[in-house]
């Protein structure tokens, strides 16, 4: 089960997803705890504990709530860059992390930020896309530090190569999740990134 904890928040935040398992061997995970809202209280509306925090990348709007969530639930933080002050454990490109009831493949997708990861679970067909791509063919900004349009385009192509199953859900860092033909939205983002000046 995937819940957007930041739904309806009118503050400087990303989406913040709580992934909860149905089975006993699953893990309760927060993907990008967001910023400028009480994420701990939002988590506690749904569950009593969190096993881990997983980061798509370390822009402030995605990680401002990390210290509070990590401390409240004694949860380690996983991300691409182990040298970042908020990251306890590295997830390498091609590594896996268990979220809910499924193992998610980590795909290193720089272009918006150097430490950006997307997470894809083939069996349920779920993608956490962070700020790489959004609904309706939008894509992440490349005018910030570490942003690069050509690198972003290559990352979108790389992600598409790894989406080898039936993609059913795409949860993005901003805006609505996509549950109707999400792969097409990823393809449109690649086309838009190539065509825009």
């Amino acid at each position: 089960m995937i819940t957007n904890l930041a739904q309806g928040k009118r503050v400087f935040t990303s989406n913040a997803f709580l992934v909860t398992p149905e089975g006993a061997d699953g893990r309760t995970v927060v993907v990008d705890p967001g910023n400028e809202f009480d994420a701990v209280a939002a988590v506690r509306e749904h569950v009593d504990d969190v096993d881990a925090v997983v980061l798509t990348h370390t822009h402030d709007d995605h990680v401002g709530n990390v210290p509070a969530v990590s401390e409240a639930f004694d949860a380690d933080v996983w991300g691409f860059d182990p040298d970042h002050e908020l990251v306890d454990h590295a997830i390498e490109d091609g590594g896996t992390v268990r979220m809910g009831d499924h193992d998610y493949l980590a795909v290193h997708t720089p272009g918006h930020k150097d430490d950006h990861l997307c997470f894809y679970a083939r069996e349920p067909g779920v993608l956490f896309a962070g700020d790489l791509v959004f609904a309706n063919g939008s894509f992440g900004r490349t005018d910030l530090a570490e942003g690069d349009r050509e690198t972003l385009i290559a990352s979108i192509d790389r992600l598409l190569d790894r989406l080898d199953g039936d993609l059913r859900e795409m949860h993005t860092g901003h805006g609505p999740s996509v549950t109707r033909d999400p792969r097409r939205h990823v393809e449109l983002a690649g086309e838009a990134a190539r065509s825009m000046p």
Side-chain angles (χ1 to χ4, degrees), residues 122-142:
R122 186 179 193 278
E123 183 183 337
V126 176
L127 171 68
F128 288 96
D131 283 5
L132 181 71
V133 296
F134 306 109
N136 302 313
S138 296
F139 56 89
R141 292 177 61 174
T142 56

Side-chain angles (χ1 to χ4, degrees), residues 21 25 36 46 52 60 71 80 90 115 132 141 152 159 174 186:
D25 63 341
E36 292 186 358
H46 302 276
D60 290 347
E71 182 177 337
F80 182 76
D115 65 354
L132 181 71
R141 292 177 61 174
L152 184 104
L159 178 62
H174 302 274
V186 181

